[in-house]
Amino acid sequence: MQLYDWDKKYSVDFEPIDTQHKMLLGMINKLLLNQLKDKKIILMLMDEVVLYAKFHFFSEENFMQIYDYSDFKNHKTEHTDLLNEVISKSTLYIEDKIKLEEVVKFLVNWFVVHTTKGDRELGKYLKKITGDKGKNL
Ligand SMILES: [Fe+2]
């Protein structure tokens, strides 16, 4: 599978969130770069994705609460569902029920949907309310 470059189409136009999304994409690429390594290494890298996604969601939820985002509840529910799905995919991989490729496909699809749907709306709102694309946040 090919590596995924960051692209303007993933931008939510709010820097702190874009920075974290770039990190997430980098971690997906790291999985691809190490796909032939030992399963133990792959599992460590999957843990890295899960832990960073937890941090990222927590960070977005803080922004939503600080700036009274009206869709907070729904967005938080989406985060919880996504995390559960990522964890269940990695469990299936650990149990040899799915291949790494399937986990990566899921992660990439999740990344694209996550950045171009709900987060785009959130970015638009945060940009408007903070006035500076979050440069100093
Ligand atoms: Fe996000």
Side-chain angles (χ1 to χ4, degrees):
M1 289 178 83
Q2 97 270 3
L3 298 180
Y4 293 88
D5 289 328
W6 173 260
D7 190 279
K8 271 205 309 250
K9 68 178 181 238
Y10 302 133
S11 173
V12 301
D13 216 14
F14 188 71
E15 287 181 20
I17 294 182
D18 278 346
T19 302
Q20 292 175 16
H21 287 165
K22 285 175 189 166
M23 285 288 290
L24 276 168
L25 193 62
M27 286 173 191
I28 293 171
N29 283 330
K30 206 150 123 186
L31 264 173
L32 286 167
L33 285 167
N34 290 285
Q35 59 186 297
L36 298 177
K37 296 248 170 72
D38 206 85
K39 201 165 185 178
K40 194 178 145 206
I41 301 285
I42 304 291
L43 292 177
M44 281 163 51
L45 295 175
M46 280 184 188
D47 274 353
E48 196 176 327
V49 172
V50 170
L51 286 171
Y52 195 78
K54 274 186 190 166
F55 158 77
H56 169 62
F57 291 158
F58 191 77
S59 175
E60 281 187 358
E61 287 158 16
N62 280 349
F63 275 127
M64 290 186 237
Q65 293 201 84
I66 293 166
Y67 296 106
D68 294 319
Y69 189 57
S70 61
D71 200 33
F72 170 68
K73 263 194 162 178
N74 288 334
H75 204 125
K76 189 177 162 69
T77 304
E78 263 175 47
H79 286 168
T80 308
D81 292 346
L82 279 170
L83 264 180
N84 288 337
E85 272 186 85
V86 177
I87 292 166
S88 101
K89 290 278 179 217
S90 61
T91 306
L92 289 172
Y93 172 76
I94 294 165
E95 293 168 349
D96 282 324
K97 290 181 179 148
I98 58 172
K99 290 190 170 144
L100 178 63
E101 202 177 319
E102 203 174 318
V103 181
V104 172
K105 266 190 190 154
F106 168 79
L107 287 173
V108 171
N109 184 54
W110 162 68
F111 177 82
V112 172
V113 172
H114 175 78
T115 53
T116 55
K117 297 267 164 72
D119 280 9
R120 181 146 302 156
E121 286 306 307
L122 174 61
K124 212 187 283 175
Y125 175 80
L126 292 172
K127 183 184 161 189
K128 192 173 141 202
I129 210 156
T130 63
D132 66 353
K133 298 186 183 184
K135 279 193 174 70
N136 300 308
L137 297 172

